[in-house]
PDB file of all heavy atoms in Angstrom:
ATOM      1  N   MET A   1      46.599  98.680 130.653  1.00 85.00           N
ATOM      2  CA  MET A   1      46.144  98.039 129.465  1.00 85.00           C
ATOM      3  C   MET A   1      46.888  98.562 128.293  1.00 85.00           C
ATOM      4  O   MET A   1      47.004  99.802 128.174  1.00 85.00           O
ATOM      5  CB  MET A   1      44.520  98.180 129.344  1.00 85.00           C
ATOM      6  CG  MET A   1      44.036  97.546 128.036  1.00 85.00           C
ATOM      7  SD  MET A   1      42.285  97.789 127.782  1.00 85.00           S
ATOM      8  CE  MET A   1      42.324  99.485 127.358  1.00 85.00           C
ATOM      9  N   ASP A   2      47.254  97.699 127.367  1.00 97.00           N
ATOM     10  CA  ASP A   2      47.939  98.148 126.115  1.00 97.00           C
ATOM     11  C   ASP A   2      46.995  98.770 125.302  1.00 97.00           C
ATOM     12  O   ASP A   2      45.854  98.062 124.938  1.00 97.00           O
ATOM     13  CB  ASP A   2      48.709  96.954 125.507  1.00 97.00           C
ATOM     14  CG  ASP A   2      49.769  96.558 126.212  1.00 97.00           C
ATOM     15  OD1 ASP A   2      50.245  97.286 127.156  1.00 97.00           O
ATOM     16  OD2 ASP A   2      50.466  95.535 125.908  1.00 97.00           O
ATOM     17  N   GLY A  33      62.310  84.542 124.303  1.00 97.00           N
ATOM     18  CA  GLY A  33      63.647  84.424 125.202  1.00 97.00           C
ATOM     19  C   GLY A  33      64.607  85.526 124.750  1.00 97.00           C
ATOM     20  O   GLY A  33      65.847  85.120 124.851  1.00 97.00           O
ATOM     21  N   GLY A  73      70.078  90.039 112.749  1.00 97.00           N
ATOM     22  CA  GLY A  73      69.360  89.488 111.527  1.00 97.00           C
ATOM     23  C   GLY A  73      68.076  90.078 111.430  1.00 97.00           C
ATOM     24  O   GLY A  73      67.751  91.131 112.095  1.00 97.00           O
ATOM     25  N   HIS A  95      72.999  90.705 122.494  1.00 97.00           N
ATOM     26  CA  HIS A  95      73.036  91.788 123.391  1.00 97.00           C
ATOM     27  C   HIS A  95      74.409  92.581 123.511  1.00 97.00           C
ATOM     28  O   HIS A  95      75.417  91.959 123.106  1.00 97.00           O
ATOM     29  CB  HIS A  95      72.865  91.142 124.886  1.00 97.00           C
ATOM     30  CG  HIS A  95      72.732  92.129 125.972  1.00 97.00           C
ATOM     31  ND1 HIS A  95      71.788  93.167 125.894  1.00 97.00           N
ATOM     32  CD2 HIS A  95      73.362  92.389 127.061  1.00 97.00           C
ATOM     33  CE1 HIS A  95      71.983  93.923 127.018  1.00 97.00           C
ATOM     34  NE2 HIS A  95      72.875  93.525 127.671  1.00 97.00           N
ATOM     35  N   LYS A 103      71.966 103.775 127.140  1.00 92.00           N
ATOM     36  CA  LYS A 103      70.842 103.325 126.448  1.00 92.00           C
ATOM     37  C   LYS A 103      71.067 101.901 125.812  1.00 92.00           C
ATOM     38  O   LYS A 103      72.331 101.783 125.376  1.00 92.00           O
ATOM     39  CB  LYS A 103      70.130 104.207 125.426  1.00 92.00           C
ATOM     40  CG  LYS A 103      69.656 105.513 125.968  1.00 92.00           C
ATOM     41  CD  LYS A 103      69.015 106.503 125.018  1.00 92.00           C
ATOM     42  CE  LYS A 103      68.544 107.748 125.622  1.00 92.00           C
ATOM     43  NZ  LYS A 103      67.520 107.453 126.591  1.00 92.00           N
ATOM     44  N   GLY A 130      56.778  98.662  99.872  1.00 95.00           N
ATOM     45  CA  GLY A 130      57.797  99.730  99.734  1.00 95.00           C
ATOM     46  C   GLY A 130      58.944  99.462 100.599  1.00 95.00           C
ATOM     47  O   GLY A 130      58.913  98.742 101.610  1.00 95.00           O
ATOM     48  N   VAL A 135      68.648 104.202 107.738  1.00 97.00           N
ATOM     49  CA  VAL A 135      69.502 105.381 107.894  1.00 97.00           C
ATOM     50  C   VAL A 135      70.208 105.404 109.390  1.00 97.00           C
ATOM     51  O   VAL A 135      71.346 106.022 109.572  1.00 97.00           O
ATOM     52  CB  VAL A 135      68.669 106.647 107.936  1.00 97.00           C
ATOM     53  CG1 VAL A 135      68.038 106.916 106.577  1.00 97.00           C
ATOM     54  CG2 VAL A 135      67.554 106.637 109.013  1.00 97.00           C
ATOM     55  N   ALA A 149      60.432 109.078 102.309  1.00 94.00           N
ATOM     56  CA  ALA A 149      61.057 108.694 100.983  1.00 94.00           C
ATOM     57  C   ALA A 149      59.982 107.941 100.215  1.00 94.00           C
ATOM     58  O   ALA A 149      59.859 108.006  99.042  1.00 94.00           O
ATOM     59  CB  ALA A 149      62.300 107.899 101.204  1.00 94.00           C
ATOM     60  N   VAL A 169      60.364  93.592 130.656  1.00 98.00           N
ATOM     61  CA  VAL A 169      60.039  94.931 130.000  1.00 98.00           C
ATOM     62  C   VAL A 169      59.148  95.801 130.989  1.00 98.00           C
ATOM     63  O   VAL A 169      58.022  95.472 131.307  1.00 98.00           O
ATOM     64  CB  VAL A 169      59.159  94.704 128.652  1.00 98.00           C
ATOM     65  CG1 VAL A 169      58.735  95.951 128.004  1.00 98.00           C
ATOM     66  CG2 VAL A 169      59.988  93.934 127.721  1.00 98.00           C
ATOM     67  N   THR A 186      54.938 126.484 108.239  1.00 94.00           N
ATOM     68  CA  THR A 186      55.567 126.575 109.447  1.00 94.00           C
ATOM     69  C   THR A 186      55.455 125.371 110.328  1.00 94.00           C
ATOM     70  O   THR A 186      56.135 125.159 111.286  1.00 94.00           O
ATOM     71  CB  THR A 186      55.070 127.847 110.258  1.00 94.00           C
ATOM     72  OG1 THR A 186      53.646 127.678 110.422  1.00 94.00           O
ATOM     73  CG2 THR A 186      55.389 129.068 109.476  1.00 94.00           C
ATOM     74  N   ALA A 195      59.020 117.814 119.213  1.00 91.00           N
ATOM     75  CA  ALA A 195      59.523 116.384 119.304  1.00 91.00           C
ATOM     76  C   ALA A 195      60.970 116.431 120.015  1.00 91.00           C
ATOM     77  O   ALA A 195      61.140 115.654 120.828  1.00 91.00           O
ATOM     78  CB  ALA A 195      59.646 115.783 117.917  1.00 91.00           C
ATOM     79  N   VAL A 201      59.912 108.492 125.328  1.00 97.00           N
ATOM     80  CA  VAL A 201      58.526 107.672 125.389  1.00 97.00           C
ATOM     81  C   VAL A 201      58.399 106.854 126.625  1.00 97.00           C
ATOM     82  O   VAL A 201      57.353 106.857 127.312  1.00 97.00           O
ATOM     83  CB  VAL A 201      58.513 106.781 124.086  1.00 97.00           C
ATOM     84  CG1 VAL A 201      57.262 105.880 124.305  1.00 97.00           C
ATOM     85  CG2 VAL A 201      58.281 107.581 122.741  1.00 97.00           C
ATOM     86  N   ILE A 205      55.483 106.829 129.549  1.00 98.00           N
ATOM     87  CA  ILE A 205      54.637 105.665 129.940  1.00 98.00           C
ATOM     88  C   ILE A 205      54.748 105.222 131.275  1.00 98.00           C
ATOM     89  O   ILE A 205      53.827 104.930 132.045  1.00 98.00           O
ATOM     90  CB  ILE A 205      55.040 104.542 128.909  1.00 98.00           C
ATOM     91  CG1 ILE A 205      54.499 104.773 127.484  1.00 98.00           C
ATOM     92  CG2 ILE A 205      54.279 103.171 129.370  1.00 98.00           C
ATOM     93  CD1 ILE A 205      54.939 103.859 126.514  1.00 98.00           C
ATOM     94  N   LYS A 242      47.009  75.773 109.618  1.00 85.00           N
ATOM     95  CA  LYS A 242      48.042  76.354 108.879  1.00 85.00           C
ATOM     96  C   LYS A 242      49.229  75.464 108.935  1.00 85.00           C
ATOM     97  O   LYS A 242      50.181  75.472 108.010  1.00 85.00           O
ATOM     98  CB  LYS A 242      48.246  77.679 109.389  1.00 85.00           C
ATOM     99  CG  LYS A 242      47.116  78.784 109.079  1.00 85.00           C
ATOM    100  CD  LYS A 242      47.673  80.150 109.505  1.00 85.00           C
ATOM    101  CE  LYS A 242      46.542  81.241 109.123  1.00 85.00           C
ATOM    102  NZ  LYS A 242      46.943  82.553 109.218  1.00 85.00           N
ATOM    103  N   ARG A 257      61.344  61.851 106.215  1.00 90.00           N
ATOM    104  CA  ARG A 257      62.657  61.843 106.614  1.00 90.00           C
ATOM    105  C   ARG A 257      62.741  62.432 108.046  1.00 90.00           C
ATOM    106  O   ARG A 257      63.525  61.798 109.086  1.00 90.00           O
ATOM    107  CB  ARG A 257      63.502  62.777 105.752  1.00 90.00           C
ATOM    108  CG  ARG A 257      65.023  62.869 106.165  1.00 90.00           C
ATOM    109  CD  ARG A 257      65.818  63.845 105.325  1.00 90.00           C
ATOM    110  NE  ARG A 257      65.533  65.267 105.875  1.00 90.00           N
ATOM    111  CZ  ARG A 257      65.793  65.757 106.892  1.00 90.00           C
ATOM    112  NH1 ARG A 257      66.757  65.230 107.732  1.00 90.00           N
ATOM    113  NH2 ARG A 257      65.553  67.069 107.183  1.00 90.00           N
ATOM    114  N   ARG A 260      61.697  59.655 110.501  1.00 88.00           N
ATOM    115  CA  ARG A 260      62.657  58.581 110.633  1.00 88.00           C
ATOM    116  C   ARG A 260      63.736  59.054 111.682  1.00 88.00           C
ATOM    117  O   ARG A 260      64.190  58.352 112.513  1.00 88.00           O
ATOM    118  CB  ARG A 260      63.257  58.222 109.390  1.00 88.00           C
ATOM    119  CG  ARG A 260      62.368  57.529 108.439  1.00 88.00           C
ATOM    120  CD  ARG A 260      63.191  56.788 107.309  1.00 88.00           C
ATOM    121  NE  ARG A 260      63.899  57.780 106.555  1.00 88.00           N
ATOM    122  CZ  ARG A 260      63.464  58.489 105.484  1.00 88.00           C
ATOM    123  NH1 ARG A 260      62.184  58.225 105.040  1.00 88.00           N
ATOM    124  NH2 ARG A 260      64.149  59.169 104.799  1.00 88.00           N
ATOM    125  N   ARG A 306      59.344  77.119 110.626  1.00 46.00           N
ATOM    126  CA  ARG A 306      60.448  76.287 110.368  1.00 46.00           C
ATOM    127  C   ARG A 306      60.260  75.038 111.159  1.00 46.00           C
ATOM    128  O   ARG A 306      59.617  74.858 112.143  1.00 46.00           O
ATOM    129  CB  ARG A 306      61.716  77.004 110.845  1.00 46.00           C
ATOM    130  CG  ARG A 306      61.898  76.988 112.374  1.00 46.00           C
ATOM    131  CD  ARG A 306      63.308  77.603 112.708  1.00 46.00           C
ATOM    132  NE  ARG A 306      63.538  77.693 114.033  1.00 46.00           N
ATOM    133  CZ  ARG A 306      64.559  78.340 114.582  1.00 46.00           C
ATOM    134  NH1 ARG A 306      65.394  79.098 113.820  1.00 46.00           N
ATOM    135  NH2 ARG A 306      64.751  78.272 115.926  1.00 46.00           N
TER     136      ARG A 306
END
Side-chain angles (χ1 to χ4, degrees):
M1 180 179 71
D2 289 350
H95 182 52
K103 296 184 179 296
V135 295
V169 177
T186 57
V201 168
I205 292 174
K242 289 190 176 182
R257 183 188 68 79
R260 289 193 303 271
R306 72 180 185 191

